[in-house]
Amino acid sequence: MFARTKRLTLRPGWPEDAPALTQAIGHESVVAKLARVPWPYALGDAEAFLALPRGGNDPQFLIETMESGVPRLVGAIGIRVADDAHELGYWLTPEAWGRGYATEAGEAVIAMARHALGLRRLDAFHFVDNPASGRVLAKLGFRPTGRIEPRASRGRGGEAPAVMFALDLDEDRCAPMPLAA
C-alpha cells in the first residue's frame, strides 16, 4: 500500500532504504520514545526490519517528504496487531519534529484503517515522558482511556509508564474500500 498527502508519501520500506532508515531513526531521543526499537540502532537492525514479510494489506509505511526537492525519509508509521487489538505507532526523526508530519501521516493511516481495512477501533499509547506524542494522538481524535500502564521499551532497556489511548472508528463509518497494492 501507498498513500500520498499534501506533503508526504507513505510507502513500504525496501532493502535499499536501510542506510536512510538507520540515519533517520538512529537518535537516542527517538528510540527512547519507542517500544520495539533497540538502542543503539545499527544498519543490521534496519536491514532486518526491512526484510520482515509484509502482506498487501499490511499498513506499515516509511514517511518521506519532498519539501527539500528530493525525497527524504523522515519517519515511519503503521498499524500492528497487538493482543487482539490494532495499535497505531509512529516516529519521526528529530529534524522533522514540530512540522505536523505525524498528524498528516496519521490522518492518512486512520482513513485507511477505517475505509480500506474496515477496522472498528485503534489503540495507541505514548510514554509519560513524551507528551508531544499525546498531543498528536489527540489531534487525530484518540481519547485517553484513563489508564497508565507499564510498557516495554527496548531502547530504554526496560519498562516505562505509558498513557493509553483509543479511537472508535465506527463513527462516520463508510463501507470498506478495495485496496491497490
Side-chain angles (χ1 to χ4, degrees):
M1 289 192 290
F2 290 78
R4 299 260 326 173
T5 69
K6 182 178 177 184
R7 301 178 296 164
L8 306 173
T9 299
L10 282 59
R11 65 167 181 82
W14 300 309
E16 58 268 23
D17 292 317
L21 176 58
T22 304
Q23 182 178 2
I25 199 172
H27 302 269
E28 190 171 12
S29 59
V30 172
V31 173
K33 293 171 176 52
L34 303 174
R36 296 180 315 277
V37 179
W39 179 256
Y41 194 84
L43 182 62
D45 297 311
E47 291 168 341
F49 171 76
L50 294 167
L52 291 172
R54 305 253 194 282
N57 289 345
D58 190 9
Q60 301 288 326
F61 305 98
L62 296 182
I63 303 170
E64 282 185 340
T65 181
M66 287 284 293
E67 288 191 306
S68 63
V70 295
R72 184 172 69 98
L73 191 142
V74 296
I77 190 167
I79 298 171
R80 73 179 193 101
V81 177
D83 300 325
D84 295 327
H86 292 88
E87 187 175 272
L88 177 74
Y90 55 88
W91 61 268
L92 292 173
T93 196
E95 296 80 31
W97 291 352
R99 303 192 62 172
Y101 292 154
T103 303
E104 189 172 329
E107 289 169 348
V109 172
I110 288 168
M112 284 181 211
R114 177 179 280 129
H115 302 297
L117 300 174
L119 300 181
R120 297 187 174 279
R121 174 186 163 118
L122 284 175
D123 294 325
F125 73 89
H126 71 85
F127 289 112
V128 170
D129 60 359
N130 184 15
S133 190
R135 289 188 295 274
V136 169
L137 292 172
K139 287 179 193 173
L140 292 172
F142 282 84
R143 300 285 180 246
T145 65
R147 295 186 337 260
I148 295 178
E149 299 178 1
R151 296 296 292 247
S153 172
R154 285 184 65 197
R156 296 173 192 233
E159 291 184 338
V163 181
M164 309 308 291
F165 282 75
L167 175 63
D168 181 8
L169 298 176
D170 278 341
E171 296 174 9
D172 193 33
R173 188 161 184 81
C174 296
M177 298 173 2
L179 291 179

